[in-house]
Amino acid sequence: MQLIVFVLASLMMILGAVGVVTRKNPVHAALSLVLTLFGVAVHFVSLEAYFLAAVQIIVYAGAIVVLFLFVIMLLGVDKAEDISTEPLVTQRWLAAVAGLGLLGLLVVAVARGADMLTTRSEGLATEVQNASGDANIQQLARSVFGDYVVAFELTSVLLVVAVVGTVMLARKRTAGEA
Amino acid sequence: MPAPTTLSYLVVAALVFVIGAVGVMVRRNPLIMFMCIELMLNAVNLSFVALARELTDIDGQSIVFFVLVVAAAEVVVGLGIIVAIMRNRSSLTADDLAELKG
């Protein structure tokens, strides 16, 4: 059963990823991205990261892809572009070679490092004695608001900077300003 | 039927990461390039969560949480820059931005 879910979610991810790269229309590429993000969320559920699965759907599929679609519509680029011609000579061959090399390196590194994994520290919620439905959320909250509380506060600063910077970038300059 | 191993999750993550990397190299539309960057971030997130379960360590999931926040900020700023550039132009390819002037 778990294997079927794994295969289906992996197929969703890979088909969506190929769609993002090969689709001519940016709207179709954004919708393919949603397929990949849902596949990742399914993987998160089967890996017992329930909170992150929910956040994945809400933040990625709900916010980021909508932002992409909003910008595509706003700029009026929601029409098919010509991707049949190569922008630079041999660019695609070089990209294919680089991609295959990267894939080979990653797979070899994963396969060689597989036997070096050792268990450490506090353990996931499934190993906790009173593993109730929200044990994953409790454990994640202890980690984020405990060990990583400084990083958590810094992300709030980052978000404020991003919002202010985007407002500065996107507003129209009036004649009186420099 | 055997349950999928951590290794298989990592291989799927590597595959999606490579597809995203090739997309950044091949496509010229900056919006599509951003989507490919999101693909790569998601692949890394998946490997973090898979290793968090393998090592029974919640820290992997905490890092994914932070990656989500940083990805959201990155998309907001990147799309703001694209909108600011596109206000004065009609086409949308990364090659048009090669010259060193505004």
Side-chain angles (χ1 to χ4, degrees):
Chain A
M1 187 60 206
Q2 268 198 306
L3 195 65
I4 298 171
V5 172
F6 173 81
V7 170
L8 285 180
S10 301
L11 276 179
M12 278 168 72
M13 277 183 71
I14 291 167
L15 285 180
V18 171
V20 171
V21 177
T22 55
R23 282 294 188 156
K24 292 188 179 74
N25 192 324
V27 177
H28 296 172
L31 295 178
S32 300
L33 185 63
V34 175
L35 191 65
T36 300
L37 300 176
F38 270 102
V40 175
V42 171
H43 276 316
F44 281 0
V45 170
S46 62
L47 287 168
E48 291 146 10
Y50 306 114
F51 176 72
L52 287 177
V55 170
Q56 173 87 8
I57 298 292
I58 294 169
V59 172
Y60 264 114
I64 291 184
V65 173
V66 170
L67 197 62
F68 270 118
L69 287 173
F70 181 78
V71 170
I72 290 169
M73 303 289 177
L74 179 73
L75 297 179
V77 291
D78 53 335
K79 46 191 172 293
E81 56 182 294
D82 179 22
I83 58 170
S84 57
T85 55
E86 280 191 281
L88 297 170
V89 186
T90 71
Q91 184 187 12
R92 290 198 179 153
W93 280 107
L94 288 177
V97 169
L100 285 177
L102 187 60
L103 183 66
L105 276 177
L106 284 173
V107 170
V108 167
V110 164
R112 289 192 54 155
D115 52 348
M116 294 165 70
L117 296 173
T118 50
T119 305
R120 72 175 183 92
S121 83
E122 55 255 59
L124 277 184
T126 43
E127 279 78 25
V128 174
Q129 288 296 317
N130 52 352
S132 59
D134 52 357
N136 173 249
I137 297 177
Q138 288 180 7
Q139 211 181 6
L140 192 58
R142 288 222 176 76
S143 176
V144 170
F145 297 117
D147 295 346
Y148 298 107
V149 69
V150 177
F152 179 76
E153 296 295 337
L154 283 177
T155 56
S156 68
V157 177
L158 176 74
L159 284 173
V160 171
V161 170
V163 169
V164 174
T166 307
V167 171
M168 283 296 295
L169 279 171
R171 73 182 177 146
K172 283 195 166 62
R173 284 190 176 73
T174 51
E177 295 176 275
Chain B
M1 199 178 287
T5 60
T6 303
L7 189 67
S8 49
Y9 283 104
L10 292 180
V11 170
V12 170
L15 206 55
V16 174
F17 185 92
V18 168
I19 293 173
V22 170
V24 172
M25 288 186 261
V26 168
R27 296 300 296 264
R28 287 183 301 161
N29 188 329
L31 286 165
I32 307 273
M33 289 163 86
F34 260 108
M35 290 180 205
C36 293
I37 292 172
E38 296 302 318
L39 281 182
M40 290 194 279
L41 286 170
N42 269 282
V44 175
N45 280 352
L46 179 62
S47 60
F48 263 123
V49 173
L51 284 171
R53 193 188 63 162
E54 172 77 23
L55 301 175
T56 63
D57 188 344
I58 197 72
D59 285 0
Q61 296 188 14
S62 308
I63 291 176
V64 170
F65 181 77
F66 291 121
V67 171
L68 281 168
V69 177
V70 174
E74 169 242 331
V75 166
V76 167
V77 175
L79 292 181
I81 292 173
I82 289 177
V83 170
I85 291 170
M86 282 301 296
R87 190 172 290 143
N88 306 321
R89 291 163 193 270
S90 56
S91 68
L92 186 66
T93 75
D95 293 346
D96 298 339
L97 308 176
E99 67 231 21
L100 198 63
K101 61 183 183 188

